[in-house]
């Protein structure tokens, strides 16, 4: 066993979501619903730029996505179909095709966590607001083989 | 809301593991340990073919893998470095590079679940035994955008 430097670390170790980028959310939602014996969930569209304040690579972006969710134990499985761009979702679909885009953790100090991760060489790649909270995607693929998502919900 | 056919479905909806294929398990394990402020876990090597009875695409395979685990809430994060082949792990690394290879569910009737999934067009791609149980990987990427793993542990 080696001992890591624990001085700066994520405040949460509870994986709360697995996010998959797909080409056709209705087709994928039907496949998962059939797999699990569940009703097909309706998809929702992320908020437009003026509400979501979406920023990709530091610039405002009109990118949106269709989202659908399945509850699998304590983990939420999120299906994501990119709509327009530029976004981390669209970039993933273009460069890697369909697959698991991110794993998510709920945190309470977005600015502090983003700064800590940037100091570890994992910079912010996209952020946005949603009704009741905000999200941030972290460019951690080189280190962690997957993108991290931070979720901060309003109290 | 559309209604799915519930007649044949997975017996578990509890996502218990996320598996990532990586090139260098020691490097990846250090990165995750640093991220979460945990000690770096030791990796273990899967059993050899005569013990694990590894079969890939229906044929015996000498493929093995180095494995390391992190406990993230109720989900286990599994790091996998392929050692030799052929295997679903090696094929994923060759064709897609590092990334999330599978999501896993614990089930109790391996033969029945494998048959049900094959009837849905998702065939078995690899199976093997480990101390205390057995696993099966399902070629579900076309439908689900990720490989399924079934885990059945001895009672």
């Amino acid at each position: 066993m080696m001992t890591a430097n624990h001085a700066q670390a994520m405040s949460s170790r509870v994986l709360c979501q697995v996010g998959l980028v797909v080409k056709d959310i209705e087709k994928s939602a039907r496949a998962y619903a059939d797999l699990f014996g569940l009703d097909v969930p309706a998809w929702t569209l992320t908020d437009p730029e003026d509400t979501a304040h979406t920023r990709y690579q530091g610039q405002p972006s009109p990118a949106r996505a269709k989202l659908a969710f399945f509850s699998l134990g304590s983990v939420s499985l999120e299906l994501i179909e990119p709509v327009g761009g530029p976004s981390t979702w669209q970039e993933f679909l273009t460069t890697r095709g369909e697959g698991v885009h991110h794993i998510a953790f709920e945190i309470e100090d977005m600015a502090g966590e983003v700064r800590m991760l940037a100091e570890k060489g994992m910079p912010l790649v996209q952020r946005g607001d949603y009704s009741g909270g905000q999200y941030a995607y972290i460019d951690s693929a080189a280190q962690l083989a997957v993108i991290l998502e931070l979720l901060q919900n309003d109290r």
Side-chain angles (χ1 to χ4, degrees), chain A residues 95-114:
Chain A
T95 59
R96 291 186 59 91
E98 293 190 319
V100 174
H101 170 267
H102 69 260
I103 56 176
F105 298 84
E106 190 174 337
I107 52 83
E108 294 186 352
D109 173 17
M110 182 64 85
E113 300 275 346
V114 167

Side-chain angles (χ1 to χ4, degrees), chain A residues 3-17 74-75 103-108 113 116 120 148-151:
Chain A
T3 301
N5 178 357
H6 298 187
Q8 289 283 324
M10 287 267 287
S11 62
S12 170
R13 297 173 187 159
V14 178
L15 194 160
C16 64
Q17 184 183 89
S74 65
V75 177
I103 56 176
F105 298 84
E106 190 174 337
I107 52 83
E108 294 186 352
E113 300 275 346
M116 177 274 292
K120 292 184 187 295
L148 289 180
E149 182 176 30
L150 307 179
L151 296 169

Side-chain angles (χ1 to χ4, degrees), chain A residues 28-29 32-33 36 38-39 41 68-72 75-79:
Chain A
S28 296
Y32 273 98
F36 292 116
L38 296 169
D39 291 336
F69 296 89
F70 289 89
S71 182
L72 302 179
V75 177
S76 169
L77 187 140
E78 179 184 34
L79 301 178

Side-chain angles (χ1 to χ4, degrees), chain A residues 6 40 43 69 87 97-98 121 128 139 147 149:
Chain A
H6 298 187
V40 181
W43 54 262
F69 296 89
S87 70
E98 293 190 319
D139 183 5
I147 289 167
E149 182 176 30

